[in-house]
Amino acid sequence: MKKRVLVTGGAGFIGSHLCERLLNQDCEVVCLDNFFTGSRENIVHLLNNPYFELIRHDVTMPFYIEVDEIYNLACPASPIHYQYNPIKTIKTSVMGAINMLGLAKRVKGKVLQASTSEVYGDPEVHPQKENYWGNCNPIGPRSCYDEGKRCAESLFINYHTQNKVKIKIQRIFNTYGPKMHPNDGRVVSNFIVQALNKEDITIYGDGSQTRSFCYVDDLVEAMIRLMNTDDSIIGPINTGNPNEFTIKELAEKIIKMTGSASKIIYKPLPEDDPKQRQPDISQAKKILDWEPKVQLEEGLQKTIDYFKTII
Ligand code: NAD
Ligand code: UDP
């Protein structure tokens, strides 16, 4: 019998890659999405597959279905989108977690939470290990996302200890690749779209802040490996590419790779923008036998090729 898998946020960037990969691994996939930042285009090629089902639903509302596994990805991930309606963002993380944990409890299934490096806030420990508690501003503009995701982690741990729900917490670091929305607002898609459109490349701040970018195929591989670990493994586990770049380096690389005539311009740094971010992935290496295979230039090339086809 095929495994039945629910992917919330399945029409989004990472979710659509995950749905496709699960179908290729002989699973039956139910994709739940409210299409806030996701789109039908991301999954349109899967709609003819009899083992794929698309359901428009909001994860803040209870949802009844019989499944073996749940990947809980529903939540806007780009700062401009999660700050558009911050109360809704908190509801999505918190009530979404409660609804998916309740579902997992009822069906005695496994549930994986797409958590984030944002739980470390603007980190004072570098690189970040899973045992670092983070440096988050609970009342700043990013708090709807950071605290929502932190509360979701707490809910996951407590449903596990109190109700014996089988959980997995994955802390995802900056991930990029094809199927990011052109207006997503995150740095990789912004810079590529600006470079291809010969518009100015907008660096926020002086560009000395760092991020470590993981190609989506690597990330999805880690996600499925984590779900498939035995029940004693609950995480949190960092997953990301530990190669760290400044935002200025990223801009220069994208200008070079696209051969663009775009100029770099500098805009104000958003409040509470983390200064540095790099995952310590020793846990993922040990437990999942995983490390990223696609390095930045190769991943950027695939992403640039994708954006060339849609703009
Ligand atoms: P995305 O915005 O492309 O995908 C999120 C999906 O969730 C979208 O399809 C959106 O429509 C859907 N959604 C949002 N609110 C919903 C709701 N209330 N009910 C149902 N569906 C809802 O973002 P992504 O990059 O694919 O991120 C997926 C998950 O991974 C998110 O939970 C995000 O927090 C997490 N994550 C992503 C990154 C990254 O760099 N991409 C980093 C850390 C964590
Ligand atoms: N950033 C930038 N220009 C942009 C978009 C983002 O300089 O057009 C910066 C942003 O300020 C941050 C980094 O790039 O320092 C990564 O931003 P993103 O929104 O992609 O992710 P996050 O801040 O959540 O890691």
Side-chain angles (χ1 to χ4, degrees), residues 9 11-15 32-39 57-60 72-77 88 92 114-117 145 149 172-175 184 186:
F13 158 52
I14 298 177
L32 177 158
D33 210 292
N34 72 348
F35 297 114
F36 174 44
T37 51
S39 77
H57 183 82
D58 195 303
V59 84
T60 58
N72 188 34
L73 276 67
C75 185
K88 176 68 194 237
T92 294
S115 192
T116 168
S117 51
Y145 183 73
K149 289 283 188 179
I172 302 169
F173 283 65
N174 297 62
T175 300
D184 180 273
R186 281 176 283 187

Side-chain angles (χ1 to χ4, degrees), residues 229-274:
T229 50
D230 71 59
D231 294 347
S232 66
I233 306 296
I234 60 171
I237 292 193
N238 286 342
T239 51
N241 190 321
N243 288 334
E244 186 182 6
F245 296 87
T246 66
I247 294 305
K248 185 142 189 269
E249 284 170 335
L250 177 74
E252 286 163 351
K253 211 177 256 295
I254 289 174
I255 290 174
K256 192 166 158 223
M257 289 178 70
T258 50
S260 173
S262 292
K263 301 261 173 309
I264 290 177
I265 59 162
Y266 293 88
K267 293 201 159 183
L269 190 67
E271 197 183 331
D272 295 342
D273 197 281

Side-chain angles (χ1 to χ4, degrees), residues 77-79 82 118 142 174 185-188 190-191 194 202-205 209 211 213 247 269-270 273-274 277:
S78 152
Y82 69 63
E118 282 284 319
R142 296 175 86 99
N174 297 62
R186 281 176 283 187
V187 69
V188 174
N190 265 14
F191 286 1
Q194 289 164 343
T202 54
I203 288 186
Y204 304 157
Q209 71 271 37
R211 294 294 187 272
F213 299 101
I247 294 305
L269 190 67
D273 197 281
R277 187 179 285 155

Side-chain angles (χ1 to χ4, degrees), residues 34-87:
N34 72 348
F35 297 114
F36 174 44
T37 51
S39 77
R40 238 167 233 286
E41 278 68 48
N42 284 343
I43 40 143
V44 72
H45 60 298
L46 306 176
L47 291 174
N48 283 335
N49 187 323
Y51 297 105
F52 182 75
E53 204 175 332
L54 174 63
I55 297 176
R56 181 188 286 262
H57 183 82
D58 195 303
V59 84
T60 58
M61 309 298 281
F63 185 63
Y64 291 85
I65 192 168
E66 307 309 311
V67 287
D68 304 302
E69 293 176 352
I70 305 158
Y71 290 84
N72 188 34
L73 276 67
C75 185
S78 152
I80 54 165
H81 290 124
Y82 69 63
Q83 289 171 23
Y84 171 75
N85 183 346
I87 297 172

Side-chain angles (χ1 to χ4, degrees), residues 3 10 37 40 56 64 74 80 96 116 141 151 169-170 182 186 195 197 214 218 256 268 278 282 291 302:
K3 202 155 59 177
T37 51
R40 238 167 233 286
R56 181 188 286 262
Y64 291 85
I80 54 165
T116 168
C151 182
I169 300 172
Q170 179 180 12
R186 281 176 283 187
N197 287 338
C214 186
D218 283 331
K256 192 166 158 223
Q278 184 191 33
S282 39
E291 64 184 315
K302 292 179 193 213

